[in-house]
Amino acid sequence: MCPLPLAAAAVTAPRTPLRLLGRGLAAAMSTARPLKSVDYEVFGRVQGVCFRMYTEDEARKIGVVGWVKNTSKGTVTGQVQGPEEKVNSIKTPLPFTDLSHPYQGQEQHMKNTSFQETDDWSTPRKSWLSKIGSPSSRIDRTNFSNEKTISKLEYSNFSIRY
C-alpha cells in the first residue's frame, strides 16, 4: 500500500464539516454568530412541578446549552448559552397576551403570530423561561444576570443539575 494517495486525499478533503460533526452542537453554534451567556433565577411555584425537565426540553428545542437546578430557597437557577438571538428570545415578553394562566399567553401569542420558515424556532417559545413554564408551574418573576458575549460555549448540551 502506498500512503501517498491517502495523504493527498486528506489534504484536499474539506475538514471543517468533519470537525464540527465530531464536536456536536456546541461547535456548530460557536462558528455561526455572536454567542451570549446569561444566568437566571426563576421565582414562583417552580419546584415539584417538572419545571427543570420542561426547561431542559425547551432549551434543547430552541438550540441553546447550559444547565438548570433547584435551590434551597425554593427557586430554580441556571445558565443559558447560545446564539445571541436565541438567548434573547427567552427574555422577550410575549406580545398580545394576558399571562394570568401559564399557557393562555402562549396560546394567544400563537394565534396572533404568522409563522415564518426562517424564524419558526423562536416564535412559539419566546418567554418560555421568563413567563411560561411547565403546566403546573407559576412564574412570578425571573431575574437575569451576568449577561455577556462569549467567544465559545462552555457546555455541549443542556442538563439538569442536582
Side-chain angles (χ1 to χ4, degrees):
M1 293 188 98
C2 179
L4 187 56
L6 291 176
V11 169
T12 59
R15 293 175 181 259
T16 304
L18 294 176
R19 279 199 308 258
L20 289 178
L21 203 71
R23 290 176 13 218
L25 177 64
M29 283 197 285
S30 65
T31 60
R33 29 198 181 309
L35 298 173
K36 189 182 235 183
S37 175
V38 65
D39 297 342
Y40 60 88
E41 185 170 13
V42 186
F43 297 80
R45 185 172 182 235
V46 292
Q47 289 192 9
V49 291
C50 299
F51 190 86
R52 291 174 300 156
M53 287 183 288
Y54 178 86
T55 300
E56 179 184 40
D57 186 52
E58 288 300 305
R60 288 181 177 170
K61 286 176 186 175
I62 289 174
V64 293
V65 298
W67 55 272
V68 60
K69 74 175 187 174
N70 285 340
T71 70
S72 59
K73 302 184 301 187
T75 63
V76 170
T77 188
Q79 186 176 76
V80 174
Q81 296 181 347
E84 186 173 22
E85 69 277 2
K86 292 184 180 186
V87 172
N88 287 342
S89 76
I90 69 171
K91 300 176 359 176
T92 307
L94 291 166
F96 320 109
T97 59
D98 168 16
L99 294 173
S100 58
H101 181 275
Y103 281 111
Q104 184 173 351
Q106 189 172 17
E107 291 166 2
Q108 187 64 36
H109 175 63
M110 292 174 76
K111 289 177 188 172
N112 292 324
T113 302
S114 62
F115 292 88
Q116 299 173 5
E117 288 180 31
T118 58
D119 198 26
D120 215 23
W121 59 266
S122 65
T123 306
R125 291 187 178 89
K126 283 188 177 178
S127 298
W128 61 269
L129 188 56
S130 57
K131 298 291 181 191
I132 298 172
S134 61
S136 298
S137 70
R138 184 194 74 249
I139 299 174
D140 294 336
R141 76 177 193 275
T142 303
N143 291 344
F144 294 97
S145 61
N146 299 325
E147 189 170 329
K148 58 188 173 187
T149 300
I150 56 175
S151 59
K152 67 177 192 170
L153 298 172
E154 297 171 20
Y155 310 100
S156 59
N157 60 13
F158 198 94
S159 64
I160 296 174
R161 291 186 177 178
Y162 298 94

